[in-house]
Amino acid sequence: MARGVSAFLAVTATWWFNKEWTFRAPGEAARRGTYPAYLAVQSGGLVVNYGVFAAVQAVIAGSPVHPLAALAAGAAAALLFNFAGARGIV
């Protein structure tokens, strides 16, 4: 439950910081309209992150470095997914 709440707050905070500092555009209404798309892309990234993490854990179970490798693989996959989604959709 805490992870879900913290993920939602993190996505909301990064959207706000990006709209205010990174991608400042004229017109508040135009910027507000990006939140649903941004939330959808980032939610997909969370699913990709966890899916890759679980798959890598299952494949390399028993390895002494598997938790770290699985975590890194999930983060890398989500990074690519989120970047492509933010660039192409949002």
Side-chain angles (χ1 to χ4, degrees):
M1 182 67 118
R3 189 171 187 176
V5 171
S6 67
F8 176 76
L9 293 175
V11 167
T12 301
T14 58
W15 170 79
W16 187 82
F17 288 129
N18 278 320
K19 84 174 184 71
E20 288 299 316
W21 288 309
T22 307
F23 304 111
R24 182 169 284 190
E28 183 65 26
R31 290 185 290 179
R32 241 185 255 145
T34 62
Y35 183 72
Y38 187 80
L39 181 61
V41 167
Q42 297 300 312
S43 296
L46 290 170
V47 171
V48 168
N49 186 331
Y50 186 75
V52 170
F53 168 79
V56 170
Q57 255 192 332
V59 169
I60 61 173
S63 168
V65 296
H66 82 83
L68 184 56
L71 185 65
L79 174 96
L80 295 173
F81 179 90
N82 287 341
F83 176 79
R87 182 148 174 103
I89 297 170
V90 181

Coordinates of all heavy atoms in Angstrom, one line a residue:
M1 N 0.8 -1.2 0.0 CA 0.0 0.0 0.0 C 0.9 1.3 0.0 O 0.6 2.2 -0.8 CB -0.9 0.0 1.2 CG -1.9 1.2 1.3 SD -3.1 1.1 -0.1 CE -4.5 1.0 0.8
A2 N 1.9 1.2 0.8 CA 2.8 2.4 0.9 C 3.5 2.6 -0.4 O 3.7 3.8 -0.8 CB 3.8 2.2 2.1
R3 N 3.9 1.5 -1.0 CA 4.6 1.7 -2.3 C 3.7 2.3 -3.4 O 4.2 3.1 -4.2 CB 5.1 0.3 -2.8 CG 6.0 0.4 -4.0 CD 6.7 -0.9 -4.3 NE 7.6 -0.7 -5.3 CZ 8.4 -1.7 -5.8 NH1 8.4 -2.9 -5.3 NH2 9.3 -1.4 -6.7
G4 N 2.4 2.0 -3.4 CA 1.5 2.5 -4.3 C 1.3 4.0 -4.1 O 1.3 4.8 -5.0
V5 N 1.2 4.4 -2.8 CA 1.0 5.8 -2.5 C 2.3 6.6 -2.8 O 2.2 7.7 -3.4 CB 0.6 6.0 -1.0 CG1 0.7 7.5 -0.6 CG2 -0.7 5.4 -0.7
S6 N 3.4 6.1 -2.5 CA 4.7 6.8 -2.8 C 4.9 6.9 -4.3 O 5.5 7.9 -4.7 CB 5.9 6.1 -2.1 OG 6.1 4.8 -2.6
A7 N 4.6 5.9 -5.0 CA 4.8 5.9 -6.5 C 3.9 7.0 -7.1 O 4.3 7.8 -7.9 CB 4.5 4.6 -7.1
F8 N 2.6 7.1 -6.6 CA 1.7 8.1 -7.1 C 2.2 9.5 -6.8 O 2.2 10.4 -7.6 CB 0.3 7.9 -6.5 CG -0.7 9.0 -6.9 CD1 -1.2 9.0 -8.2 CD2 -1.0 10.0 -6.0 CE1 -2.1 10.0 -8.6 CE2 -1.9 11.0 -6.4 CZ -2.4 11.0 -7.7
L9 N 2.7 9.7 -5.6 CA 3.2 11.0 -5.2 C 4.5 11.3 -6.0 O 4.7 12.5 -6.4 CB 3.5 11.0 -3.7 CG 2.3 11.0 -2.8 CD1 2.7 10.9 -1.3 CD2 1.4 12.2 -3.1
A10 N 5.3 10.3 -6.2 CA 6.6 10.6 -7.0 C 6.3 10.9 -8.4 O 6.9 11.9 -9.0 CB 7.5 9.3 -7.0
V11 N 5.3 10.3 -9.1 CA 4.9 10.6 -10.4 C 4.3 12.0 -10.5 O 4.6 12.8 -11.4 CB 3.9 9.5 -11.0 CG1 3.3 10.0 -12.3 CG2 4.6 8.2 -11.2
T12 N 3.5 12.3 -9.6 CA 2.9 13.6 -9.5 C 3.9 14.7 -9.3 O 3.9 15.8 -10.0 CB 1.8 13.7 -8.4 OG1 0.8 12.7 -8.7 CG2 1.2 15.1 -8.4
A13 N 4.9 14.5 -8.4 CA 6.0 15.5 -8.2 C 6.8 15.6 -9.4 O 7.2 16.8 -9.8 CB 6.8 15.0 -7.0
T14 N 7.2 14.5 -10.1 CA 8.1 14.7 -11.3 C 7.3 15.3 -12.4 O 7.9 16.1 -13.2 CB 8.6 13.3 -11.7 OG1 7.6 12.4 -12.0 CG2 9.6 12.7 -10.7
W15 N 6.0 15.1 -12.6 CA 5.3 15.8 -13.6 C 5.3 17.3 -13.3 O 5.5 18.1 -14.2 CB 3.8 15.3 -13.6 CG 2.9 16.1 -14.5 CD1 2.8 16.1 -15.9 CD2 2.0 17.1 -14.0 NE1 1.9 17.0 -16.3 CE2 1.4 17.7 -15.2 CE3 1.6 17.6 -12.8 CZ2 0.4 18.7 -15.1 CZ3 0.7 18.6 -12.7 CH2 0.1 19.1 -13.9
W16 N 5.0 17.7 -12.1 CA 5.0 19.1 -11.7 C 6.3 19.7 -11.9 O 6.4 20.8 -12.5 CB 4.5 19.2 -10.3 CG 4.3 20.7 -9.9 CD1 3.2 21.4 -10.2 CD2 5.2 21.6 -9.3 NE1 3.3 22.7 -9.8 CE2 4.6 22.8 -9.2 CE3 6.5 21.4 -8.8 CZ2 5.2 23.9 -8.7 CZ3 7.1 22.5 -8.2 CH2 6.4 23.8 -8.2
F17 N 7.4 19.1 -11.5 CA 8.7 19.7 -11.6 C 9.1 19.8 -13.1 O 9.6 20.8 -13.6 CB 9.8 18.9 -10.9 CG 9.8 19.0 -9.4 CD1 9.8 17.8 -8.6 CD2 9.8 20.2 -8.8 CE1 9.8 17.9 -7.3 CE2 9.7 20.3 -7.4 CZ 9.7 19.2 -6.7
N18 N 8.7 18.8 -13.9 CA 9.0 18.9 -15.4 C 8.2 20.0 -16.0 O 8.8 20.7 -16.9 CB 8.7 17.5 -16.0 CG 9.9 16.5 -15.9 OD1 11.0 16.9 -16.0 ND2 9.5 15.3 -15.6
K19 N 7.0 20.1 -15.7 CA 6.2 21.2 -16.3 C 6.6 22.6 -15.9 O 6.5 23.5 -16.7 CB 4.7 20.9 -16.1 CG 4.1 21.5 -14.8 CD 2.6 21.3 -14.8 CE 2.0 21.9 -13.5 NZ 2.0 23.4 -13.5
E20 N 7.1 22.7 -14.7 CA 7.5 24.0 -14.2 C 8.9 24.4 -14.7 O 9.1 25.6 -14.9 CB 7.4 24.1 -12.7 CG 6.0 24.1 -12.2 CD 5.2 25.3 -12.7 OE1 5.7 26.4 -12.7 OE2 4.0 25.1 -13.1
W21 N 9.8 23.5 -14.7 CA 11.2 23.8 -15.0 C 11.7 23.3 -16.3 O 12.4 24.0 -17.0 CB 12.1 23.4 -13.8 CG 11.9 24.2 -12.6 CD1 11.9 25.6 -12.5 CD2 11.6 23.7 -11.3 NE1 11.7 25.9 -11.2 CE2 11.5 24.8 -10.4 CE3 11.5 22.5 -10.7 CZ2 11.2 24.7 -9.1 CZ3 11.2 22.4 -9.4 CH2 11.1 23.5 -8.6
T22 N 11.4 22.0 -16.6 CA 12.1 21.4 -17.8 C 11.3 21.8 -19.1 O 12.0 22.1 -20.1 CB 12.1 19.9 -17.6 OG1 12.8 19.6 -16.3 CG2 12.9 19.3 -18.7
F23 N 10.0 21.6 -19.1 CA 9.3 21.8 -20.3 C 8.3 23.0 -20.2 O 7.1 22.8 -20.5 CB 8.5 20.5 -20.6 CG 9.4 19.3 -20.7 CD1 9.4 18.3 -19.8 CD2 10.3 19.2 -21.8 CE1 10.2 17.2 -19.9 CE2 11.1 18.2 -21.9 CZ 11.1 17.1 -20.9
R24 N 8.7 24.1 -19.6 CA 7.8 25.2 -19.5 C 7.3 25.6 -20.8 O 8.0 25.9 -21.8 CB 8.6 26.4 -18.8 CG 7.6 27.5 -18.6 CD 8.3 28.5 -17.7 NE 8.2 28.0 -16.3 CZ 8.6 28.7 -15.3 NH1 9.0 29.9 -15.4 NH2 8.5 28.2 -14.1
A25 N 5.9 25.7 -20.9 CA 5.3 26.1 -22.1 C 4.2 27.1 -21.8 O 3.7 27.2 -20.7 CB 4.6 24.9 -22.8
P26 N 3.9 28.0 -22.7 CA 2.8 29.0 -22.4 C 1.5 28.3 -22.3 O 1.2 27.4 -22.9 CB 2.9 29.9 -23.6 CG 3.5 29.1 -24.7 CD 4.4 28.1 -24.1
G27 N 0.7 28.9 -21.4 CA -0.7 28.4 -21.2 C -0.8 27.3 -20.2 O -0.4 26.2 -20.4
E28 N -1.4 27.6 -19.0 CA -1.6 26.7 -17.9 C -2.5 25.5 -18.4 O -2.2 24.4 -18.0 CB -2.2 27.4 -16.7 CG -2.4 26.5 -15.5 CD -1.0 26.0 -14.9 OE1 0.0 26.6 -15.1 OE2 -1.1 24.9 -14.3
A29 N -3.5 25.7 -19.2 CA -4.4 24.7 -19.6 C -3.7 23.6 -20.4 O -3.9 22.4 -20.2 CB -5.6 25.2 -20.3
A30 N -2.8 24.0 -21.2 CA -2.1 23.1 -22.1 C -1.2 22.2 -21.2 O -1.1 21.0 -21.4 CB -1.2 23.8 -23.1
R31 N -0.6 22.7 -20.2 CA 0.3 21.9 -19.3 C -0.5 21.0 -18.4 O -0.2 19.9 -18.2 CB 1.1 22.9 -18.4 CG 2.2 23.6 -19.3 CD 3.1 24.3 -18.4 NE 2.3 25.5 -17.9 CZ 2.8 26.4 -17.1 NH1 4.1 26.3 -16.6 NH2 2.1 27.4 -16.7
R32 N -1.7 21.5 -17.9 CA -2.5 20.6 -17.1 C -3.0 19.4 -17.9 O -3.2 18.3 -17.3 CB -3.7 21.4 -16.6 CG -3.7 21.5 -15.1 CD -5.0 22.2 -14.6 NE -4.6 23.5 -14.2 CZ -5.3 24.6 -14.4 NH1 -6.5 24.5 -14.9 NH2 -4.9 25.8 -14.0
G33 N -3.3 19.5 -19.1 CA -3.8 18.4 -19.9 C -2.8 17.3 -20.1 O -3.2 16.2 -20.6
T34 N -1.5 17.5 -19.8 CA -0.5 16.5 -20.0 C -0.5 15.5 -18.8 O 0.1 14.4 -19.0 CB 0.9 17.1 -20.1 OG1 1.3 17.8 -19.0 CG2 1.0 18.0 -21.4
Y35 N -1.1 15.8 -17.7 CA -1.0 15.0 -16.5 C -1.6 13.6 -16.7 O -0.9 12.6 -16.4 CB -1.6 15.6 -15.3 CG -1.5 14.8 -14.1 CD1 -0.2 14.6 -13.4 CD2 -2.5 14.1 -13.5 CE1 -0.1 13.8 -12.3 CE2 -2.4 13.3 -12.4 CZ -1.2 13.2 -11.8 OH -1.0 12.4 -10.7
P36 N -2.8 13.4 -17.3 CA -3.3 12.0 -17.5 C -2.4 11.2 -18.4 O -2.2 10.0 -18.0 CB -4.7 12.3 -18.1 CG -5.0 13.6 -17.7 CD -3.8 14.4 -17.7
A37 N -1.9 11.8 -19.4 CA -1.0 11.0 -20.3 C 0.3 10.6 -19.6 O 0.8 9.5 -19.7 CB -0.7 11.8 -21.6
Y38 N 0.9 11.6 -18.8 CA 2.1 11.4 -18.1 C 1.9 10.3 -17.0 O 2.7 9.4 -16.9 CB 2.6 12.7 -17.4 CG 3.9 12.6 -16.7 CD1 5.1 12.6 -17.5 CD2 4.0 12.4 -15.4 CE1 6.3 12.5 -16.9 CE2 5.2 12.3 -14.7 CZ 6.4 12.4 -15.5 OH 7.6 12.3 -14.9
L39 N 0.8 10.3 -16.3 CA 0.4 9.3 -15.3 C 0.3 8.0 -15.9 O 0.8 7.0 -15.4 CB -0.9 9.7 -14.6 CG -1.3 8.8 -13.5 CD1 -0.3 8.7 -12.4 CD2 -2.6 9.3 -12.9
A40 N -0.3 7.9 -17.1 CA -0.5 6.6 -17.8 C 0.9 6.0 -18.2 O 1.1 4.8 -18.0 CB -1.4 6.8 -19.0
V41 N 1.7 6.9 -18.8 CA 3.0 6.4 -19.2 C 3.8 5.9 -18.0 O 4.4 4.8 -18.0 CB 3.8 7.5 -20.0 CG1 5.3 7.1 -20.2 CG2 3.1 7.7 -21.3
Q42 N 3.9 6.7 -16.9 CA 4.6 6.3 -15.8 C 4.1 5.1 -15.1 O 4.8 4.3 -14.6 CB 4.7 7.5 -14.8 CG 5.4 8.7 -15.3 CD 6.8 8.5 -15.7 OE1 7.6 7.9 -14.9 NE2 7.2 8.9 -16.9
S43 N 2.8 4.9 -15.1 CA 2.2 3.7 -14.6 C 2.6 2.5 -15.4 O 2.9 1.4 -14.8 CB 0.6 3.8 -14.5 OG 0.2 4.9 -13.7
G44 N 2.6 2.7 -16.7 CA 3.1 1.6 -17.5 C 4.6 1.2 -17.2 O 5.0 0.1 -17.2
G45 N 5.4 2.3 -16.9 CA 6.8 2.1 -16.5 C 6.9 1.3 -15.2 O 7.8 0.5 -15.1
L46 N 6.0 1.6 -14.3 CA 6.0 0.8 -13.0 C 5.7 -0.7 -13.3 O 6.4 -1.5 -12.7 CB 5.0 1.4 -12.1 CG 5.3 2.8 -11.5 CD1 4.1 3.3 -10.7 CD2 6.5 2.7 -10.6
V47 N 4.8 -0.9 -14.2 CA 4.5 -2.3 -14.5 C 5.6 -3.0 -15.2 O 6.0 -4.1 -14.9 CB 3.2 -2.4 -15.4 CG1 3.0 -3.8 -16.0 CG2 2.0 -1.9 -14.6
V48 N 6.3 -2.3 -16.2 CA 7.5 -2.8 -16.8 C 8.6 -3.1 -15.8 O 9.2 -4.1 -15.8 CB 7.9 -1.8 -17.9 CG1 9.3 -2.2 -18.5 CG2 6.9 -1.8 -19.1
N49 N 8.8 -2.1 -14.9 CA 9.9 -2.3 -13.9 C 9.6 -3.5 -13.1 O 10.5 -4.4 -13.0 CB 9.9 -1.0 -13.0 CG 11.0 -1.0 -12.0 OD1 11.5 -2.0 -11.6 ND2 11.4 0.2 -11.6
Y50 N 8.4 -3.7 -12.6 CA 8.2 -4.8 -11.7 C 8.2 -6.1 -12.5 O 8.7 -7.2 -12.1 CB 6.9 -4.7 -11.0 CG 6.7 -5.8 -10.0 CD1 7.4 -5.8 -8.8 CD2 5.8 -6.9 -10.3 CE1 7.3 -6.9 -7.9 CE2 5.7 -7.9 -9.4 CZ 6.4 -7.9 -8.2 OH 6.3 -9.0 -7.3
G51 N 7.6 -6.1 -13.7 CA 7.6 -7.3 -14.6 C 9.0 -7.8 -14.9 O 9.3 -9.0 -14.8
V52 N 9.9 -6.9 -15.3 CA 11.3 -7.3 -15.7 C 12.0 -7.7 -14.4 O 12.7 -8.7 -14.4 CB 12.0 -6.1 -16.4 CG1 13.5 -6.4 -16.5 CG2 11.4 -5.8 -17.7
F53 N 11.8 -7.0 -13.3 CA 12.4 -7.4 -12.0 C 12.0 -8.9 -11.7 O 12.9 -9.7 -11.3 CB 11.9 -6.5 -10.9 CG 12.3 -6.9 -9.5 CD1 13.5 -6.8 -9.0 CD2 11.3 -7.5 -8.7 CE1 13.8 -7.2 -7.7 CE2 11.6 -7.9 -7.4 CZ 12.9 -7.7 -6.9
A54 N 10.7 -9.2 -11.7 CA 10.2 -10.5 -11.4 C 10.8 -11.6 -12.3 O 11.1 -12.7 -11.9 CB 8.7 -10.5 -11.3
A55 N 10.8 -11.2 -13.6 CA 11.3 -12.2 -14.6 C 12.7 -12.5 -14.4 O 13.2 -13.7 -14.5 CB 11.0 -11.7 -16.0
V56 N 13.5 -11.5 -14.2 CA 15.0 -11.7 -14.0 C 15.2 -12.5 -12.7 O 16.1 -13.4 -12.7 CB 15.7 -10.4 -14.0 CG1 17.2 -10.5 -13.6 CG2 15.7 -9.7 -15.4
Q57 N 14.5 -12.2 -11.7 CA 14.6 -12.9 -10.5 C 14.3 -14.4 -10.7 O 15.0 -15.3 -10.1 CB 13.7 -12.4 -9.4 CG 14.4 -11.6 -8.4 CD 13.5 -11.3 -7.2 OE1 12.3 -11.2 -7.3 NE2 14.1 -11.1 -6.0
A58 N 13.3 -14.7 -11.5 CA 12.9 -16.1 -11.7 C 14.0 -16.8 -12.5 O 14.2 -18.0 -12.3 CB 11.5 -16.1 -12.4
V59 N 14.5 -16.1 -13.5 CA 15.5 -16.7 -14.4 C 16.8 -17.0 -13.7 O 17.4 -18.0 -13.9 CB 15.7 -15.8 -15.7 CG1 16.9 -16.3 -16.5 CG2 14.4 -15.8 -16.5
I60 N 17.3 -16.1 -12.9 CA 18.6 -16.2 -12.3 C 18.5 -16.5 -10.8 O 19.4 -16.1 -10.0 CB 19.5 -15.0 -12.6 CG1 19.0 -13.7 -12.0 CG2 19.8 -14.9 -14.1 CD1 19.9 -12.6 -12.2
A61 N 17.5 -17.2 -10.4 CA 17.3 -17.5 -9.0 C 18.5 -18.4 -8.5 O 19.0 -19.2 -9.2 CB 16.0 -18.3 -8.8
G62 N 18.9 -18.1 -7.3 CA 20.1 -18.8 -6.8 C 21.4 -18.2 -6.9 O 22.4 -18.5 -6.3
S63 N 21.5 -17.2 -7.8 CA 22.7 -16.4 -8.0 C 22.9 -15.5 -6.8 O 22.0 -14.9 -6.4 CB 22.6 -15.6 -9.3 OG 23.7 -14.7 -9.4
P64 N 24.1 -15.3 -6.4 CA 24.4 -14.4 -5.2 C 24.1 -12.9 -5.6 O 23.9 -12.2 -4.7 CB 25.8 -14.6 -4.9 CG 26.4 -15.2 -6.1 CD 25.4 -16.0 -6.8
V65 N 24.1 -12.6 -6.8 CA 23.8 -11.2 -7.2 C 22.4 -11.0 -7.8 O 22.1 -9.9 -8.2 CB 24.9 -10.6 -8.2 CG1 26.3 -10.6 -7.6 CG2 24.9 -11.4 -9.5
H66 N 21.6 -12.0 -7.8 CA 20.3 -11.9 -8.5 C 19.4 -10.7 -8.0 O 18.8 -10.1 -8.8 CB 19.6 -13.2 -8.5 CG 18.8 -13.6 -7.3 ND1 17.6 -13.1 -7.1 CD2 19.1 -14.4 -6.3 CE1 17.1 -13.6 -6.0 NE2 18.0 -14.3 -5.5
P67 N 19.3 -10.4 -6.7 CA 18.4 -9.3 -6.4 C 18.9 -7.9 -7.0 O 18.1 -7.2 -7.5 CB 18.5 -9.2 -4.8 CG 18.9 -10.6 -4.4 CD 19.8 -11.1 -5.5
L68 N 20.2 -7.7 -7.0 CA 20.7 -6.5 -7.5 C 20.6 -6.5 -9.0 O 20.2 -5.4 -9.6 CB 22.2 -6.3 -7.1 CG 22.8 -5.0 -7.5 CD1 22.0 -3.8 -7.0 CD2 24.2 -4.9 -7.0
A69 N 20.9 -7.6 -9.7 CA 20.7 -7.7 -11.1 C 19.3 -7.5 -11.6 O 19.0 -6.8 -12.6 CB 21.3 -9.0 -11.6
A70 N 18.4 -8.1 -10.8 CA 17.0 -7.9 -11.2 C 16.5 -6.5 -11.0 O 15.7 -6.0 -11.8 CB 16.1 -8.9 -10.3
L71 N 16.9 -5.9 -9.9 CA 16.6 -4.5 -9.7 C 17.1 -3.6 -10.8 O 16.4 -2.7 -11.3 CB 17.1 -4.1 -8.3 CG 16.7 -2.7 -7.8 CD1 15.2 -2.6 -7.6 CD2 17.5 -2.4 -6.5
A72 N 18.4 -3.8 -11.2 CA 19.0 -3.0 -12.2 C 18.3 -3.2 -13.6 O 18.0 -2.2 -14.3 CB 20.5 -3.3 -12.3
A73 N 18.0 -4.4 -13.9 CA 17.3 -4.7 -15.2 C 15.9 -4.1 -15.2 O 15.5 -3.5 -16.2 CB 17.2 -6.2 -15.4
G74 N 15.2 -4.2 -14.1 CA 13.9 -3.5 -14.1 C 13.9 -2.0 -14.2 O 13.1 -1.4 -15.0
A75 N 14.9 -1.4 -13.5 CA 15.0 0.0 -13.6 C 15.4 0.5 -15.0 O 14.9 1.5 -15.5 CB 16.1 0.5 -12.6
A76 N 16.3 -0.3 -15.6 CA 16.8 0.1 -17.0 C 15.6 0.0 -18.0 O 15.5 0.8 -18.9 CB 18.0 -0.8 -17.4
A77 N 14.9 -1.1 -17.9 CA 13.8 -1.3 -18.8 C 12.7 -0.2 -18.6 O 12.2 0.3 -19.6 CB 13.1 -2.7 -18.6
A78 N 12.4 0.1 -17.4 CA 11.4 1.2 -17.1 C 11.9 2.5 -17.6 O 11.2 3.4 -18.1 CB 11.1 1.2 -15.6
L79 N 13.2 2.8 -17.4 CA 13.8 4.0 -17.9 C 13.6 4.2 -19.4 O 13.1 5.3 -19.8 CB 15.3 4.1 -17.6 CG 16.0 5.3 -18.1 CD1 16.1 6.4 -17.1 CD2 17.4 4.9 -18.6
L80 N 13.9 3.2 -20.1 CA 13.7 3.2 -21.6 C 12.2 3.4 -22.0 O 11.8 4.2 -22.8 CB 14.3 2.0 -22.3 CG 15.8 1.9 -22.1 CD1 16.2 0.5 -22.7 CD2 16.5 3.0 -22.8
F81 N 11.3 2.6 -21.3 CA 9.9 2.7 -21.5 C 9.4 4.1 -21.2 O 8.6 4.7 -22.0 CB 9.2 1.7 -20.7 CG 7.7 1.7 -20.9 CD1 7.1 0.9 -21.8 CD2 6.9 2.5 -20.1 CE1 5.7 0.9 -22.0 CE2 5.5 2.5 -20.2 CZ 4.9 1.7 -21.2
N82 N 9.7 4.7 -20.1 CA 9.2 6.0 -19.7 C 9.8 7.1 -20.6 O 9.0 8.0 -20.9 CB 9.6 6.3 -18.2 CG 8.8 5.4 -17.2 OD1 7.8 4.9 -17.5 ND2 9.3 5.3 -16.0
F83 N 11.0 7.0 -21.0 CA 11.6 8.0 -21.9 C 10.8 8.0 -23.2 O 10.4 9.0 -23.7 CB 13.1 7.8 -22.1 CG 13.7 8.8 -23.1 CD1 14.0 10.1 -22.7 CD2 13.9 8.4 -24.4 CE1 14.5 11.0 -23.6 CE2 14.4 9.3 -25.3 CZ 14.7 10.6 -24.9
A84 N 10.7 6.8 -23.8 CA 10.0 6.7 -25.0 C 8.6 7.2 -24.9 O 8.1 7.9 -25.8 CB 10.1 5.2 -25.6
G85 N 7.9 6.8 -23.9 CA 6.5 7.2 -23.7 C 6.4 8.7 -23.5 O 5.5 9.3 -24.0
A86 N 7.2 9.3 -22.6 CA 7.2 10.7 -22.4 C 7.5 11.5 -23.7 O 6.9 12.5 -23.9 CB 8.2 11.1 -21.3
R87 N 8.5 11.0 -24.4 CA 8.8 11.7 -25.6 C 7.8 11.5 -26.7 O 7.5 12.5 -27.5 CB 10.2 11.2 -26.1 CG 10.7 11.9 -27.3 CD 12.2 11.9 -27.3 NE 12.7 12.5 -28.5 CZ 13.1 13.7 -28.7 NH1 13.2 14.5 -27.6 NH2 13.6 14.1 -29.8
G88 N 7.3 10.3 -26.9 CA 6.3 10.1 -28.0 C 4.9 10.3 -27.7 O 4.1 10.6 -28.6
I89 N 4.5 10.2 -26.4 CA 3.1 10.4 -26.1 C 2.8 11.7 -25.4 O 1.9 12.4 -25.7 CB 2.6 9.2 -25.3 CG1 2.7 7.9 -26.1 CG2 1.2 9.4 -24.8 CD1 2.5 6.6 -25.2
V90 N 3.5 12.0 -24.3 CA 3.3 13.1 -23.5 C 3.8 14.4 -24.2 O 3.2 15.4 -24.3 CB 3.9 13.0 -22.1 CG1 3.6 14.2 -21.3 CG2 3.4 11.7 -21.4

